[in-house]
Amino acid sequence: MPNPADLLPGDDNPTMTVKKRDAITQHPGDDRTQTVKAEQPTSTEPMLRTLSPRLRDLEKFLRAWLRAKHLYPLSDSSAATLEGLGNDLIRQADALDTERPYLVVMLIGGTGVGKSTLLNALAGGAIAHASWARPTTRDPVVYYHESMKPEKFDPLLRNCHLQTHDRPALQFKVIVDTPDLDSTDPVNREKTIGVVPVADIVIWVGSPEKYHDEMVWKHFLEQRKRKASVFVINKWDRCLHTPSIAKRPDEDLLGDLKEQGFQNPILFRTNAQHWVDKANGENSGAEAPEGEQFMDLTNWLEAGLNRLEIEAIKARGITQLLEQLERSLEDAAPPDLAETAQRTRSIWDRELGAEAGETANILLNTLAPYQNEIEHHFTVESQKRFRGPMGLYLSLFNRVKYMGGTLGDRFSMVPKMGPSTPQPQPGWNLMEFTRACSTVAGERSLDMRCKALADSLLVKGEEQGFPVQLLSSRTESASRIDWRQRFAQALIEVLEEVESQWSHPRGLRRWLHNLLIFLGNTLPVLTFFVTAAWVLWQIFMLEKLPVLTDLLIPLGATLLMVIVMHILIVLVLPLRWIKIRGEFQSMLSQRLQTALSRAYSAIPTDLADELRGERRKVEDLVGKVKDVSSWLEQRQQAATVASLYGS
Amino acid sequence: MSTPATAETPQAPAHRALISQLSDDFSWLETYCRQQPDQAPHSSQLRLAAALVRNTVGPYLDGQRPEPLHTCVVGGASAGKSTVVNLLTGSMTAEANPQAGFTRHPIAYTSANGQIDWAAHLSFLGPLQRLTEPAPSNLDRDVYQVRRVATDDFSKSLLANFVVWDCPDMTTWAASGYIPRLIEVCGLSDVLVYVASDERYNDEVPTQFLKLLLQAGKPVVVCLCKMREADAQAFLAHFKSAVLSKLPGGAINCLAIPFMSAQELANPAGKAAKYRIQLLNQVAVLGDPASTARRRSVRMATNFLLAATDHLLSVARKDLAAMQNWQTVVKAGQTEFENRYRAEYLNTEKFRRFDEALVRLLELLELPGVGKIVSNTLWVLRTPYRLLKGFLGKSMARPDAPTQPELPVLENSLKGWLDHLRKEAARHSSAHPVWAHIEKGFESGGLEQQVRERFQQGFRSFQLGLADEVERTARGIYEELEKNPVLLNTLRGGKFAIDMGAIVAAVLTAGHTVALDILLVPVAAAVSQQLVELLGSKYVDTQREQTRDRQLALVQQYISAPLADWMIQWPATGGSSFERLQLALKRIPPAVQALDQAVTQKLGSTF
């Protein structure tokens, strides 16, 4: 069976293909074409139609994804691209959802190159307005078979100028003539760009003057991956004299196309005016210029594009669309930051640990002026359980020892240094006290440190490759929490914990503590009674004359005992600020680190997780696109139309 | 024709400096714009400005003769430029090529033999080099070539006064590489011939180009080519109504040259002759007399520069706005830095030296010499007061909160400052190249390192400046008194008077009760002493507070302000483009003004 690709030009070099097409021209009813036409419909016809719902599904998923909220910002340009691709999907689905899809062949080019003349020549009559005035065509002209229903056309085509014909060879082919791309009227450009999405094949029409123009070339570069491309150099009569080293326009263009990956592009050299004149009977005697290929173009359109080719081009067009969709989706997919997030997190944890230490230090420094009060408080707390003379002695002793602190609060005659210092309440109000400390520390430096911490974390994240834009809003809102309140809370907790440790120690200290309390509570009393008994013994039993001093002996001994006990307590259970501070420091920094970690360290990993979720959605979508692509790939015969697409 | 140029004295070299600086600045801006995709349209205008400065205004101020004038033939690819050049020169020298966009560099046609002095001007055609050997027109380099043509009698009259330039096109996709060459020559031209074909006459790109040249005040002759002869008049009318009516400038001469075959074109006396005559006449009219034409070119060029400067510099302004944002961010960081230093260090630092100064001050206020006896008596009298005060002070004094040392505070604040800047840079990096540049500076590590080094330097000089600042202020408290005996003695007298007054008051109050005297007199002495001490300590505290302010000012002077200035300037240093940008922005407007003055002066002097 002959390969249908033989019917298409462009498999070999351009001159060869001209000959091949000549052969077709000479035998229009060639049985090769007949067999092709008769054999093909069975496999391809249902294929394209069943593709339609798949494309619709794909579009639905794509839209849903586009509408959903994105954590990872979707750039305006890629959102627009994806929207456009969604529209194209629906358009293709609509076009395929019919008995026999029609092929849209679009003539595109600069003003005055002869697009309309070409269409007129093809139609054999003046269906498109062609004139010397530039620009001529203002609205696209749609040339289609009378059996087709315009209301079935793509909406973009329905508003164009419609022209019917009755040529069976062009029955399922719609030829569209477009306004220009390069005149001073931007409306024309917009109109042309507006209908391009409908095209299956674009015939890029150039003239000897304009085949190289940038205004058209850049559109070609944009569309070449999406549409089948065919090239025409019209006004061929103007390129025949090549006096110098310069290249002939067609050779020049073929060279450029080769660089763009079109190894064997289909290029027709035409002189459309000649055929229009001929149809009008104006130049009946004249011959078409040498190498003119208008008839080849007509043949290609009529016979070369048979049902098989149409379906192959349709399928290829969809493949290209799906490929582009896949690429655009992959570009729009959020990056995989899982590893980066882990690294960022571990670095942040280190940073937060250091920060917690510093913060604890600063907080404790604000406590330092009140070390006497704290010592006092702790001493009182830990000595609460002493009773009797010991308890009395200790409370008196403490009152005298820490008198200054309370005095200072009542008569603040001493000029105070610094802007504001916390005002400790008379008595022990832990809440107020810690809040005041936290406020002072906040004003002095912690507020600024919190802000600086967020910046520093963001920079550390950036160094690890975590985009600042993603991290910043959460990190900064974490830095704006009421940290003063949290610091005060941590201080309270730590103070209470240290206090309970001192008043209810554990382990060996507990035994010591209890022992001391027991001794303190019993020994002085015992001493008193023993000495009192001894004195009484002396007086009554030994009948020693009682002296006043004798009466003082029990009291003196008790006092001595109490003092000895006190010294013992101070020696065995020393309670000094320096010692408490160390304990404070480590507990506080631990607690602060927990608080800071809770606020910050989950941010990068959470973000990475959410991004992974988003990424998975995109991957799902890409997977769906791939499914359709591979489904299509198994069924299409791409080779037949390869020359219409560059590589 | 008049030759006024020869009669003139050469201009001072100052003009040359002005010209080369201005054209350099424009050229630099042009390159700068070309690197930014969204600024590309500006680059053409900037190139034209540079070309006008160096090719039209410069030679004129240098006293170059007006002849020959230059006429440039411009138009879209294959519109018929070569045909028109051939008509102008009267020979078939320009290759008419079917390949669109074949010509890649400007080619001058002249009939003159011998030395070509018009090309001898120093900055003639800017970067374009003259080819010494003949070369094909498609040589794609920054060059131009001069071709000599043998002329018939007919075209001699034109070519005697004109050099005809065949230029590359501006429509093909390869043209973006050589449009600058085309514009360069257009800047030189005194008369432009704009060629458009039946296909091209309403095309966007050539029309925009024509518009630019009309804005620059170039006289233009339009040639419409290749239409059918029958359509010629309708063509001209349509071109005028559809294209010219939308462009600036007054009446423009248009003529139609219908499609002719190669044979017809080759015969100057044949069919082409009638179009040739029209064309030559119209070009010649615009260039007659040469001196007037040249003066008009110069005047128009300066007018264009004057009018367009603002617009041309708008590109650069966008970048400067980004620089200003950077400046704001740096300044905000500086304030934060200083606030942190004040709050974390200065406010908690006690400056103990001032307490010693207070003691010394009070000592100073005691009476010297014979007065010592009185002082000592009072001292004895105040013994209970001193003891009580000492006890109270000791028991009420609170331990100090440990202060943070100065350098770590400064270093921390600096780190905060830098982190903030870096974060902002990373956040804005996609918004503008300035930010991207800064972010790169941070990322490659250079910027942060440099800032830290500068900080170290600043800190050293700060320490030097500070070394005896506290000591000096503290000592100043009493030394000034020592140096000023009048004030010192007044104060001493005052203190003595207060002491005495208090004691006398006590004695009077007590009446004649000795017991009360014994009690009240020490109390009075104590009260007066306490009063003086309070006053003294208030004074010293004020000084202490001022010292804090002064120290902050020193940090500003030596550390934060120089750092901020340096960072603000950073994107504009090291020969980076922003420095050049600022320079260009600063220099161009006055240079254009100066140029205008010079031109006006010279134009006036030659009338």
Side-chain angles (χ1 to χ4, degrees), chain A residues 580-622:
Chain A
I580 314 177
R581 193 184 195 284
E583 221 156 310
F584 263 139
Q585 168 94 44
S586 68
M587 284 168 85
L588 191 57
S589 66
Q590 220 165 20
R591 205 159 287 249
L592 289 176
Q593 186 169 6
T594 323
L596 286 169
S597 297
R598 202 177 298 143
Y600 287 108
S601 65
I603 292 176
T605 39
D606 282 358
L607 272 170
D609 284 349
E610 283 168 50
L611 286 179
R612 193 166 55 213
E614 282 190 13
R615 198 178 157 75
R616 203 167 295 140
K617 276 184 198 151
V618 177
E619 275 163 5
D620 282 355
L621 210 49
V622 170

Side-chain angles (χ1 to χ4, degrees), chain A residues 378-603:
Chain A
F378 275 68
T379 316
V380 169
E381 285 297 314
S382 64
Q383 293 170 355
K384 244 182 198 163
R385 283 161 65 204
F386 286 102
R387 303 262 177 269
M390 190 71 209
L392 190 69
Y393 165 81
L394 284 174
S395 78
L396 272 174
F397 181 85
N398 285 336
R399 194 159 291 171
V400 173
K401 184 178 176 194
Y402 296 109
M403 184 176 63
T406 38
L407 268 183
D409 301 329
R410 286 174 195 152
F411 322 93
S412 39
M413 285 291 284
V414 188
K416 288 213 163 98
M417 292 303 307
S420 63
T421 37
Q423 296 294 314
Q425 307 301 308
W428 182 255
N429 186 338
L430 203 57
M431 285 284 248
E432 290 296 324
F433 179 68
T434 49
R435 190 169 300 147
C437 282
S438 171
T439 307
V440 171
E443 273 167 14
R444 193 170 292 163
S445 86
L446 289 185
D447 289 356
M448 288 179 278
R449 284 192 81 98
C450 284
K451 232 177 104 200
L453 175 66
D455 285 346
S456 150
L457 291 178
L458 286 175
V459 167
K460 288 273 185 294
E462 168 83 14
E463 271 172 5
Q464 294 304 314
F466 211 117
V468 167
Q469 285 84 349
L470 288 174
L471 275 180
S472 65
S473 76
R474 289 192 196 185
T475 311
E476 274 162 17
S477 66
S479 79
R480 281 191 292 269
I481 308 176
D482 188 1
W483 282 105
R484 285 185 185 183
Q485 170 61 34
R486 296 201 176 191
F487 291 153
Q489 190 58 39
L491 258 184
I492 289 180
E493 286 170 17
V494 170
L495 274 173
E496 275 170 352
E497 200 172 327
V498 173
E499 182 187 308
S500 82
Q501 270 184 21
W502 278 95
S503 51
H504 306 284
R506 283 186 207 96
L508 179 65
R509 279 165 60 92
R510 182 182 178 160
W511 289 109
L512 275 175
H513 191 73
N514 284 345
L515 181 66
L516 281 175
I517 288 174
F518 174 73
L519 290 177
N521 286 351
T522 48
L523 274 184
V525 180
L526 204 64
T527 315
F528 179 77
F529 283 119
V530 167
T531 43
W534 183 74
V535 168
L536 289 179
W537 176 265
Q538 291 278 320
I539 293 170
F540 293 108
M541 296 313 238
L542 303 177
E543 296 187 352
K544 208 176 159 201
L545 205 64
V547 196
L548 190 66
T549 44
D550 286 350
L551 294 177
L552 287 178
I553 286 175
L555 293 176
T558 311
L559 188 64
L560 199 70
M561 197 61 211
V562 165
I563 291 172
V564 169
M565 278 311 295
H566 188 202
I567 291 170
L568 205 62
I569 291 171
V570 170
L571 283 179
V572 175
L573 296 174
L575 202 155
R576 303 290 309 164
W577 168 248
I578 306 298
K579 190 148 176 18
I580 314 177
R581 193 184 195 284
E583 221 156 310
F584 263 139
Q585 168 94 44
S586 68
M587 284 168 85
L588 191 57
S589 66
Q590 220 165 20
R591 205 159 287 249
L592 289 176
Q593 186 169 6
T594 323
L596 286 169
S597 297
R598 202 177 298 143
Y600 287 108
S601 65
I603 292 176

Side-chain angles (χ1 to χ4, degrees), chain A residues 184 207 209 213 235 244 462, chain B residues 97 197 199-200 202 439:
Chain A
T184 52
S207 69
E209 279 186 38
D213 271 14
K235 303 195 182 174
S244 67
E462 168 83 14
Chain B
N97 272 304
S197 67
E199 272 180 36
R200 286 215 181 272
N202 202 4
E439 201 206 356

Side-chain angles (χ1 to χ4, degrees), chain A residues 112 134 182 184 207 209-214 235 244 246-247 373 404 409 445 455-456 462-463 476, chain B residues 78 97 99-100 171 173 197 199-204 226 343-344 395 398 419-420 422-423 427 439:
Chain A
R134 299 280 154 275
D182 63 353
T184 52
S207 69
E209 279 186 38
K210 288 195 168 175
Y211 71 92
H212 236 160
D213 271 14
E214 207 218 337
K235 303 195 182 174
S244 67
K247 286 185 208 141
E373 280 86 344
D409 301 329
S445 86
D455 285 346
S456 150
E462 168 83 14
E463 271 172 5
E476 274 162 17
Chain B
S78 302
N97 272 304
Q99 185 183 342
T171 55
W173 50 264
S197 67
E199 272 180 36
R200 286 215 181 272
Y201 72 90
N202 202 4
D203 278 11
E204 174 73 7
K226 297 190 184 177
E344 288 185 23
S395 65
R398 294 186 180 285
D419 281 347
H420 182 66
R422 185 164 177 185
K423 180 199 75 178
R427 181 182 283 172
E439 201 206 356

Side-chain angles (χ1 to χ4, degrees), chain B residues 76 162 231 303 606:
Chain B
F162 275 97
D231 297 332
N303 285 351
T606 53

Side-chain angles (χ1 to χ4, degrees), chain B residues 348-397:
Chain B
T348 51
E349 174 60 43
K350 298 281 191 303
F351 297 108
R352 287 283 174 223
R353 182 67 187 79
F354 283 84
D355 296 339
E356 292 162 27
L358 177 62
V359 174
R360 185 81 180 77
L361 177 68
L362 290 177
E363 272 170 17
L364 210 59
L365 288 182
E366 297 301 328
L367 295 174
V370 192
K372 241 178 198 159
I373 300 165
V374 183
S375 290
N376 287 343
T377 318
L378 285 172
W379 187 79
V380 173
L381 273 179
R382 287 191 202 110
T383 310
Y385 159 76
R386 262 202 321 281
L387 289 177
L388 185 66
K389 193 183 169 200
F391 170 72
L392 283 179
K394 211 170 187 182
S395 65
M396 292 197 314

